[in-house]
Structures are given as structure tokens and as C-alpha cells.
Amino acid sequence: MFAGNSLRSRFDRLERQCDDLRKAMTGESMLGRCAAAGVGKRLDAIERRLVILEKTD
């Protein structure tokens, strides 16, 4: 029974690692989400500045 538990724990660890890799590849990681949100905020700020510049012309 001990060998079965050890095998199961290794399989669980391998499964978690595969899930983490899959998430990273599809951009589902938390870091990826934060980076995407940061880019979105920066683009919004640029768009607001552009609107202001267009109004002053």
C-alpha cells in the first residue's frame, strides 16, 4: 500500500506540473493575467492622452 501512495503522489505532482505548463502556454497563469492587465491599463492611458491631443488640434 505504501508504494501505491508514493506512486499516486508522484502522479499527482506530475499532473499539477502539466496543468501549470498548460496554463502558462494558454496565458492562464496569474502572472500572465497581471501582465495583460498592466498592458491594458497602459493602453488605456495612451488612448486618453491621444484623445486630449486630438481635441487640442
Side-chain angles (χ1 to χ4, degrees), residues 31-45:
L31 181 59
R33 289 179 187 176
C34 290
V39 170
K41 288 178 184 178
R42 292 170 71 186
L43 288 175
D44 287 342

Side-chain angles (χ1 to χ4, degrees), residues 13-25:
R13 186 182 59 169
L14 182 61
E15 193 172 32
R16 281 192 308 273
Q17 289 174 341
C18 288
D19 286 342
D20 290 346
L21 286 172
R22 190 177 306 113
K23 287 178 183 179
M25 289 176 13

Side-chain angles (χ1 to χ4, degrees), residues 2 9 14 24 27 46 53 56:
F2 180 73
S9 67
L14 182 61
I46 291 169
L53 287 174
T56 59

